[in-house]
Amino acid sequence: MTGLMTNFTRALTRISDTEWRIAPQGAMRVPVVLYASEALVRDMDDKVLEQAANVATLPGIVGASYAMPDAHWGYGFPIGGVAAFDADDGGVVSGGGVGFDISCGVRTLHTGLDRAAVMAVQQELANALYYTIPVGVGSTGAIRLDRRGMDAMLTGGAAWAVREGYGRRDDLERIEERGCMAGADPDQVSEQAKKRQQQEMGTLGSGNHYLEVQAVTDIYDPATADAFALRRGDVTVSIHCGSRGLGHQIGTDYLKRMAVAAAKHGITLPDRELACAPIDSELGRAYLGAMRAGINCALANRQILTHLARRAFTEFFGTDLALLYDVSHNTCKLEEHVVDGRKRKLYVHRKGATRAFGPRHPDLPADLRDVGQPVLIGGTMGTASYILVGGNEPRPDESRSLAFASACHGAGRALSRRAATKRWHGRAVQDELAHRGIVVRSPSARGLAEEAPGAYKDVSEVVLVAERAGLARRVARLEPLICIKG
Amino acid sequence: MSASDLPEQAPSAPGWRHFEHRADMGVEGAGRSPAEAFAQAAVALTAIVCDPAAVQPRVALDVACDEPDLELLLVDWLNALIYRMATERMLFSRFDVRIDDGRLRATIRGESVERERHRPAVEVKGATYTALSVTHDASGLWTARCVVDV
């Protein structure tokens, strides 16, 4: 599978309490940089380092092949992998570096309610959300798009959804790319991908996707929390899902095309799953056009789900939901970064990693420009979620952005699904959470067992390490009250 | 570092099973021919979603894949099934597969998803090239395996 089958664990050098490196060896063009504590490194499987080292061999990679504190074994790239490529230096774009669930991400909304107001109707609200949000295998959305509508959605993203009546214009300010990824090309998306999406607009999906009602339990950074309008006891709604069948099919289609064409492009793949194409090639451009359409599909989908959640909250409380922010985890984006004192435009792959722009970044909305980007870290059904802020201020070296301004994205799995189902039963998981005051609704008991909180790493340790490493800073901690799980 | 997620011993008889992958799931089929191994891998794919024994073979559909590389053909086959599961809203439990010189022709049988009866746990996003292999042992037993993204 690879010519780099040395023991990567042994090659790992500790740089600090939170940073580890593997110097280039064999075909590696750049080092591997891993942000993790000793405890996280100990529990990390070897495959993470092997996969990060494989990424380091790809043409045109800049700086280093990075792994975030929540990194775990993925396919091709590790989940929690970040790598940037320069088109002018023969750089590549990789379908495996984005993954199947293109632009899977999290958005968090303010409810304007406190914990007591929600707990008074907790069961009823859980039921209402469960019946409002299409969730689980085989669920279908209420929206059917014809060909023109599909292409408009793939070009317009959340901005399209707002035009169609799902949400408000001011939502768009609080979404990466202002809700619409430029450069999307629906013609590069296969008919199969579009067909797969036809019944799935406005569906949550399954697996680790969820809609949660959460309460803020801790504030770590009062000034930033104030800018994010978060106070202790506030209730929020978070939605975790992606580009549904369309993104999955784009991933499938281009992985094969890139794997087959690699030799033609003169690329030696250490792992076929790292399938990639030169950015400056017909196939590379086609993938970027399709992948950006996939990003728009995910943004539109989360916008429609927001609309459905708003309907339920308006019915129950007569209140609206205001969008705090929307982040995407599985993307490749063209961004400007300073490398060795020089500004360069790079194609930054984040697979299971969150963009984390610091203060004064021009892409931030005006009212967050002095603060930095909200970085939303999803938890599990029973553990906390965190809201962080991008950048490593108040450190003095303001221009320093680590891993191309990236941070972790969640807890990361500690146990496989199979191991989780051997250890837990779905109903018992649900009962145990109910005992702790968390109401879970899901169509699948086995799905709940596979997603049991114990199957994940300690998210608190992950975000603490992210903070200590300087990737992002903690602002608030949230606990689940209601979880709608696919 | 843990040494988990490694494949177990090679299979010794026709059948299917899952193998460990930290985030996702590995499917493996074993049979006396590549076609039988592919059919068993398809049962393993369904078993990620629900109990294959709960899926009645009521409706038959045809699937065709053309790919000279046997390993890539396995991924194409599983992805064709994932596509049919998603677009037809069906689950499948019987797979009659023929493979001849890079041409796979199959009749697959199953039924529409019924959430109360099938209790589907998770949907499958796509088959990957991770831990992908199609091999045979000295006794002629073929094994087809790869990780699928869930």
Side-chain angles (χ1 to χ4, degrees), chain A residues 26-322:
Chain A
M28 287 169 67
R29 297 165 194 257
V30 293
V32 166
V33 174
L34 165 67
Y35 296 104
S37 61
E38 195 164 350
L40 288 174
V41 169
R42 209 172 30 242
D43 291 342
M44 211 168 263
D45 55 79
D46 288 308
K47 293 280 183 185
V48 169
L49 297 179
E50 184 185 319
Q51 291 189 323
N54 284 340
V55 172
T57 69
L58 294 178
I61 186 166
V62 175
S65 165
Y66 294 98
M68 298 291 112
D70 53 337
H72 53 99
W73 183 24
Y75 33 94
F77 275 51
I79 314 286
V82 176
F85 298 85
D86 188 339
D88 294 335
D89 199 17
V92 293
V93 58
S94 169
V98 173
F100 286 88
D101 199 357
I102 295 167
S103 198
C104 179
V106 177
R107 65 164 51 187
T108 297
L109 301 123
H110 301 287
T111 65
L113 302 165
D114 62 20
R115 181 193 276 257
V118 169
M119 291 307 274
V121 290
Q122 188 188 23
Q123 297 285 347
E124 296 86 343
L125 180 61
N127 291 339
L129 287 168
Y130 184 57
Y131 290 114
T132 304
I133 306 287
V135 59
V137 183
S139 62
T140 55
I143 300 161
R144 293 287 181 279
L145 296 175
D146 60 13
R147 196 184 170 80
R148 272 181 62 186
M150 179 69 73
D151 285 359
M153 181 274 288
L154 294 175
T155 313
W160 165 85
V162 168
R163 282 198 300 277
E164 295 292 311
Y166 305 104
R168 303 186 301 253
R169 281 208 62 77
D170 60 1
D171 291 339
L172 302 177
E173 277 297 301
R174 293 300 187 105
I175 303 172
E176 288 183 1
E177 319 302 334
R178 304 236 167 357
C180 176
M181 186 72 221
D185 185 352
D187 289 344
Q188 304 304 334
V189 178
S190 70
E191 288 307 314
Q192 287 95 326
K194 291 174 183 174
K195 188 175 176 200
R196 209 165 149 181
Q197 188 59 20
Q198 245 161 10
Q199 300 179 77
E200 298 197 353
M201 280 316 291
T203 60
L204 191 65
S206 63
N208 61 359
H209 294 163
Y210 60 75
L211 180 146
E212 267 189 12
V213 181
Q214 307 158 324
V216 178
T217 59
D218 298 274
I219 298 286
Y220 303 98
D221 175 347
T224 306
D226 202 39
F228 290 175
L230 292 166
R231 289 167 312 177
R232 240 188 96 160
D234 281 358
V235 171
T236 59
V237 172
S238 289
I239 298 169
H240 176 216
C241 73
S243 49
R244 310 294 300 117
L246 182 121
H248 308 167
Q249 192 65 37
I250 291 171
T252 297
D253 293 343
Y254 279 90
L255 201 63
K256 167 121 198 226
R257 287 175 65 181
M258 287 177 167
V260 170
K264 190 189 90 183
H265 289 128
I267 298 170
T268 308
L269 295 175
D271 170 358
R272 267 190 294 203
E273 192 67 28
L274 277 178
C276 57
I279 296 160
D280 190 15
S281 69
E282 202 180 321
L283 182 54
R285 283 187 291 273
Y287 176 69
L288 284 168
M291 186 265 306
R292 288 162 177 163
I295 290 177
N296 281 330
C297 180
L299 299 179
N301 200 47
R302 289 198 286 275
Q303 189 65 31
I304 294 166
L305 291 170
T306 298
H307 175 76
L308 298 175
R310 278 176 169 150
R311 222 161 52 189
F313 273 80
T314 304
E315 266 178 38
F316 261 82
F317 305 103
T319 57
D320 199 3
L321 304 175

Side-chain angles (χ1 to χ4, degrees), chain A residues 9 41-46 49 72-76 100-101 130 135-140 192 195-196 199-200 205-207 244 248-249 252 255-256 259-260 272-273 413-419 427 443-444 446-447 450, chain B residues 1-6 8 18-25 47-51 66-67 69 71-72 76 79 82-83 86-89 91 113 115 119-132 147 149-150:
Chain A
T9 314
V41 169
R42 209 172 30 242
D43 291 342
M44 211 168 263
D45 55 79
D46 288 308
L49 297 179
H72 53 99
W73 183 24
Y75 33 94
F100 286 88
D101 199 357
Y130 184 57
V135 59
V137 183
S139 62
T140 55
Q192 287 95 326
K195 188 175 176 200
R196 209 165 149 181
Q199 300 179 77
E200 298 197 353
S206 63
R244 310 294 300 117
H248 308 167
Q249 192 65 37
T252 297
L255 201 63
K256 167 121 198 226
V260 170
R272 267 190 294 203
E273 192 67 28
R413 285 195 82 92
L415 284 181
S416 70
R417 292 173 184 281
R418 205 174 134 208
R427 288 297 154 226
S444 167
R446 203 185 93 202
E450 291 182 3
Chain B
M1 295 269 169
S2 65
S4 65
D5 303 330
L6 296 173
E8 300 106 341
H18 294 143
F19 65 91
E20 295 278 329
H21 181 276
R22 189 67 73 88
D24 295 304
M25 196 87 101
I48 290 176
V49 186
C50 72
D51 179 4
D66 293 286
E67 165 57 56
D69 180 320
E71 290 184 347
L72 296 183
D76 283 0
N79 278 327
I82 291 165
Y83 178 73
T87 53
E88 312 283 348
R89 292 286 188 274
L91 294 163
V113 178
R115 286 165 59 144
R119 293 270 163 197
V122 69
E123 64 191 351
V124 184
K125 293 172 186 167
T128 79
Y129 299 145
T130 298
L132 167 63
V147 167
D149 187 13
V150 294

